[in-house]
């Protein structure tokens, strides 16, 4: 019997007012005026080419409680050099003779502050910048994204993730001391970042069970196992999508009551929300978070759109339009809202990129660009991402690049000039049958386009019916079937990714990788970064007869990294 695999091509080729004045035993300088860089970031001060012989103090004022980012390039001629802000001692330090840039983030309450640079002998400030920045949140600290790191997971976090995030969600196993990351977590707890534990919003229509009364919500929150742990700074409750239900008001009242108690007055209470501004109970919960100083992690888990024009229109409606509703109907909510992007890019988990021709990274950039620049979000509280286990490592790195670009550097221009629609391949989903592909069939009708209902959903694409079209190749024992297409508009020296999903057309329950060969000519393949991944549909992505539990649909994800050697390459 012939094995009949489906080859499914899925390819990407890839206003806070602050006042500052420096104090010096030798001379005082005129205060610098703060500069609003975008909706998220205000630059407080910059200093260039200043000698420190002993110590030098710079004072500044913040009218709102916010994170402060410090970046300092120092040449320590001899001895040690350190930076202190208020009670936070030695948040940055340099050894004798070091000349490098280092940075730190600390959360400061509204008021007057002092930054001190100390030198045991003498050092030279090459460049100092201090900015007021948003809460930058990531769910979560320990989960591993899909892909090859070529370094340890911890090294990957320290290199690409931690420097760009100031608030992490921490799994309960870490808090309980039952996780391999415990010592790593303890190391980074000292960095001044915030650490949150999460729990489900039980007693709501979102999670299930009867609607909680105030007393039930209070007892439930106050009895969570991690609620008194000194290892976390607070909690985020997951999630409130938008029901008009009394449990929302009950949770809001319970959070208010808890914050008034001595045991919880210094704890943070954040919530995940969708669009809850439209009901009285939703507004009550929102106001409770605003009044208690918490954060509304606004879930915008947005699927890609088929064209750039449709993407712009969709994002304007779903981000700016709903943001305007929050500003109008929930006063003060924008100043407590963190835009939480779903960066779903994992086959077999969640995948928000429905179309092979769309550059998902550009789509994420478009979202953050709106939040950073549109007047609706002036004074917005933060940026967030959900979540690492539903991502591949490249998309996670890109998310953190966007965090830095908009939330630390305060840029207003887009982070990439890459086009929304990839110019490299056409018809990657075979929606337009075999258009764009050259077919060399082993026998009559052994290569053709097909539709398999539910295929895209089983891949965990977050939408139907995208992904249900595919290329069917029926194996021949004597010679192979081939399809090919010229990959266009490459930039020599640049790195690209080719992605492909394959499976068995007749019986997807077979836990085997198909016998296929992928060839890219005129490129430098990078096997150290490439991989294949055998996965099955998750329980939340079921299509008969595959439920993701007892009956699983297995597919293979091919991830091939290459460096272009000319402006085109032949894919076979």
């Amino acid at each position: 019997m012939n094995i009949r695999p489906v080859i499914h091509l899925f390819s990407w080729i890839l206003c806070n007012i602050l006042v500052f004045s420096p104090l010096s035993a030798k001379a005082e300088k005129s205060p610098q005026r703060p500069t609003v860089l975008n909706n998220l970031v205000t630059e407080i001060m910059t200093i260039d080419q200043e000698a420190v012989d002993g110590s030098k103090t710079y004072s500044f004022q913040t009218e709102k409680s916010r994170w402060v980012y410090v970046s300092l390039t120092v040449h320590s001629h001899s001895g040690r050099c350190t930076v202190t802000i208020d009670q936070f001692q030695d948040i940055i330090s340099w050894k004798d003779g070091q000349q490098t840039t280092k940075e730190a983030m600390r959360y400061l309450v509204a008021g007057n502050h002092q930054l001190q640079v100390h030198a045991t002998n003498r050092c030279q400030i090459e460049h100092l910048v201090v900015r007021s920045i948003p809460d930058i949140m990531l769910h979560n600290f320990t989960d591993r994204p899909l892909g090859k790191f070529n370094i340890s997971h911890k090294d990957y976090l320290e290199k690409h993730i931690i420097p760009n995030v100031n608030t992490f969600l921490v799994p309960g196993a870490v808090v309980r001391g039952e996780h391999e990351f415990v010592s790593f977590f303890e190391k980074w707890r000292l960095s001044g970042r915030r650490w949150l534990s999460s729990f489900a919003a039980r007693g709501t229509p979102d999670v299930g069970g009867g609607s909680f009364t105030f007393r039930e919500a209070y007892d439930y929150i106050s009895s969570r196992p991690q609620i008194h742990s000194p290892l976390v700074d607070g909690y985020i409750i997951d999630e409130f999508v938008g029901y008009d239900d009394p449990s929302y008001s009950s949770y809001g009242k319970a959070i208010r009551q808890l914050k008034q108690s001595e045991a919880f007055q210094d704890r943070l209470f954040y919530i995940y929300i969708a669009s809850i501004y439209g009901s009285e109970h939703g507004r009550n919960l929102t106001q409770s978070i605003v009044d208690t100083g918490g954060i509304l992690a606004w879930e915008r888990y947005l699927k890609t759109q088929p064209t750039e024009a449709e993407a712009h229109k969709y994002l304007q409606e779903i981000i700016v339009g709903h943001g305007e509703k929050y500003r109008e109907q929930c006063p003060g909510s924008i100043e407590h809202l963190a835009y939480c992007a779903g960066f779903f890019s994992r086959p077999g988990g969640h995948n928000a990129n429905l179309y092979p021709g769309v550059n998902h990274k550009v789509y994420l950039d478009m979202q953050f660009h709106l939040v950073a620049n549109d007047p609706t979000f002036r004074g917005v509280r933060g940026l967030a991402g959900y979540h690492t286990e539903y991502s591949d490592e490249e998309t996670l790195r890109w998310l953190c690049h966007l965090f830095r670009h908009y939330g630390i550097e305060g840029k207003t221009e887009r982070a990439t000039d890459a086009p929304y629609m990839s110019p490299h391949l056409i018809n990657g989903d075979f929606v337009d049958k075999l258009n764009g592909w050259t077919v060399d069939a082993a026998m009559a009708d052994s290569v053709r386009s097909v539709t398999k209902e539910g295929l895209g959903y089983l891949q965990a694409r977050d939408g139907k019916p995208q992904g249900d079209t595919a290329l069917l190749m029926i194996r021949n024992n004597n010679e192979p079937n081939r399809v090919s297409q010229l990959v266009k508009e490459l930039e020599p020296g640049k790195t690209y990714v080719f992605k492909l999903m394959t499976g068995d057309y007749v019986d997807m329950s077979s836990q085997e990788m198909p016998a296929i060969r992928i060839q890219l000519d005129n490129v430098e393949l990078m096997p150290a970064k490439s991989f294949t991944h055998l996965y099955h549909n998750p329980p939340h992505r079921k299509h008969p007869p595959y439920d993701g539990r007892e009956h699983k649909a297995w597919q293979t994800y091919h991830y091939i990294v290459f460096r272009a050697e000319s402006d085109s390459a032949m894919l076979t």
Side-chain angles (χ1 to χ4, degrees), residues 52-73:
V52 178
D53 192 358
S55 66
K56 190 161 284 190
T57 301
Y58 305 91
S59 67
F60 60 92
Q61 182 184 45
T62 61
E63 288 195 354
K64 294 181 181 180
S65 298
R66 281 194 109 212
W67 288 90
V68 165
Y69 164 83
V70 179
S71 175
L72 185 56
T73 304

Side-chain angles (χ1 to χ4, degrees), residues 158-225:
E158 290 184 325
K159 181 177 181 179
H160 299 294
I161 311 305
I162 294 173
N164 306 298
V165 177
N166 53 39
T167 304
F168 282 99
L169 273 77
V170 184
V174 176
V175 179
R176 296 190 300 271
E178 301 169 355
H179 195 283
E180 61 176 328
F181 271 53
V182 170
S183 61
F184 187 68
F185 164 62
E186 290 173 346
K187 169 187 174 181
W188 281 100
R189 273 193 67 237
L190 304 177
S191 67
R193 286 166 174 78
R194 283 179 164 176
W195 307 89
L196 305 177
S197 185
S198 67
F199 54 87
R202 291 183 182 167
T204 67
D206 307 275
V207 176
S211 295
F212 275 174
T213 63
F214 155 68
R215 176 48 58 185
E216 288 172 327
Y218 184 96
D219 291 344
Y220 170 69
I221 297 172
S222 60
S223 63
R224 294 306 84 211

Side-chain angles (χ1 to χ4, degrees), residues 98 105 128-129 132 145 175 206 325 342 348 350 360 368 510 552:
Q98 275 191 313
M105 293 181 273
L128 165 66
V129 61
S132 171
V175 179
D206 307 275
K325 294 292 185 182
H350 284 280
H360 191 205
F368 282 91
S510 176
K552 299 173 181 176

Side-chain angles (χ1 to χ4, degrees), residues 398-510:
W398 178 249
L399 176 83
C400 289
H401 175 74
L402 295 177
F403 282 163
R404 178 165 290 270
H405 182 83
Y406 293 110
I408 295 177
E409 297 175 353
K411 299 293 181 63
T412 56
E413 69 272 16
R414 292 268 292 272
T416 177
D417 58 2
Y420 180 78
M421 301 301 298
S422 169
H424 308 296
L425 284 174
I426 65 171
N427 195 24
D429 255 347
F430 300 94
V431 172
D432 191 13
K433 299 190 180 298
L434 298 177
N435 180 45
W437 295 92
T438 299
V439 176
D440 181 10
M443 57 185 180
D445 208 30
S446 63
V447 177
R448 64 181 188 269
S449 62
V450 294
T451 298
K452 186 176 179 68
E453 184 181 356
L455 177 60
Y457 205 62
L458 293 171
Q459 293 168 351
R461 295 202 215 184
D462 288 344
K464 296 180 178 179
Q466 281 72 33
D468 287 358
T469 52
L471 177 72
L472 175 66
M473 304 179 78
I474 301 174
R475 180 178 296 177
N476 182 283
N477 292 330
N478 297 319
E479 56 183 302
N481 297 292
R482 294 186 181 90
V483 294
S484 60
Q485 185 177 153
L486 187 67
V487 184
K488 302 175 182 177
E489 297 189 36
L490 301 177
E491 182 180 329
K494 188 174 181 179
T495 302
Y496 297 86
V497 178
F498 172 74
K499 302 179 183 182
L500 168 73
M501 285 184 270
T502 62
D504 191 290
Y505 181 69
V506 176
D507 182 11
M508 298 182 72
S509 66
S510 176

Side-chain angles (χ1 to χ4, degrees), residues 127-376:
H127 183 66
L128 165 66
V129 61
V130 180
R131 298 188 186 116
S132 171
I133 66 170
D135 292 74
I136 304 176
M137 303 165 54
L138 181 64
H139 187 134
N140 66 30
F141 184 60
T142 60
D143 285 350
R144 183 185 179 101
L146 180 65
K148 276 187 178 180
F149 296 160
N150 297 318
I151 54 177
S152 73
H153 188 188
K154 294 175 184 178
D155 288 344
Y156 171 86
L157 291 172
E158 290 184 325
K159 181 177 181 179
H160 299 294
I161 311 305
I162 294 173
N164 306 298
V165 177
N166 53 39
T167 304
F168 282 99
L169 273 77
V170 184
V174 176
V175 179
R176 296 190 300 271
E178 301 169 355
H179 195 283
E180 61 176 328
F181 271 53
V182 170
S183 61
F184 187 68
F185 164 62
E186 290 173 346
K187 169 187 174 181
W188 281 100
R189 273 193 67 237
L190 304 177
S191 67
R193 286 166 174 78
R194 283 179 164 176
W195 307 89
L196 305 177
S197 185
S198 67
F199 54 87
R202 291 183 182 167
T204 67
D206 307 275
V207 176
S211 295
F212 275 174
T213 63
F214 155 68
R215 176 48 58 185
E216 288 172 327
Y218 184 96
D219 291 344
Y220 170 69
I221 297 172
S222 60
S223 63
R224 294 306 84 211
Q226 64 272 38
I227 201 75
H228 295 290
S229 172
L231 301 179
V232 296
D233 301 290
Y235 323 96
I236 187 163
I237 307 173
D238 188 5
E239 63 188 334
F240 301 90
V241 173
Y243 292 95
D244 186 10
D245 191 82
S247 60
Y248 284 29
S249 293
S250 297
Y251 266 95
K253 185 177 179 181
I255 290 169
R256 287 181 185 274
Q257 192 77 17
L258 286 162
K259 286 289 288 183
Q260 292 173 5
S261 68
E262 184 176 352
F264 296 101
Q265 61 183 357
D266 295 326
R267 292 298 208 180
L268 307 171
F269 286 95
Y270 299 172
I271 60 174
Y272 280 114
I273 61 166
S275 296
I276 65 173
Y277 55 76
S279 70
E280 180 180 358
H281 294 299
R283 290 190 292 271
N284 288 342
L285 175 58
T286 300
Q287 196 62 48
S288 295
I289 297 300
V290 170
D291 292 344
T292 57
I295 286 181
L296 305 155
W298 187 32
E299 299 173 340
R300 298 289 82 179
Y301 304 160
L302 308 181
K303 307 166 189 176
T304 56
Q305 302 298 302
T307 67
E308 184 173 10
E310 290 173 277
H312 279 296
K313 180 181 178 182
Y314 176 69
L315 295 181
Q316 193 69 27
E317 293 172 353
I318 205 72
I319 298 177
V320 177
H322 286 265
E324 289 172 345
K325 294 292 185 182
Y326 268 111
R327 186 174 284 281
E328 294 166 1
Q329 299 188 34
C330 302
S333 61
I334 294 295
E335 289 73 17
H336 291 264
L337 186 145
Y339 183 86
C340 184
F343 55 107
F344 307 151
S345 51
R346 184 180 188 127
H350 284 280
N351 195 342
N353 192 4
L354 304 186
Y355 305 95
V358 169
N359 189 326
H360 191 205
K361 291 161 68 175
V362 172
Y363 188 61
L364 289 169
D365 187 25
M366 292 166 66
Q367 298 175 43
F368 282 91
H369 185 259
L370 269 179
V371 175
N373 290 282
D374 193 278
T376 301

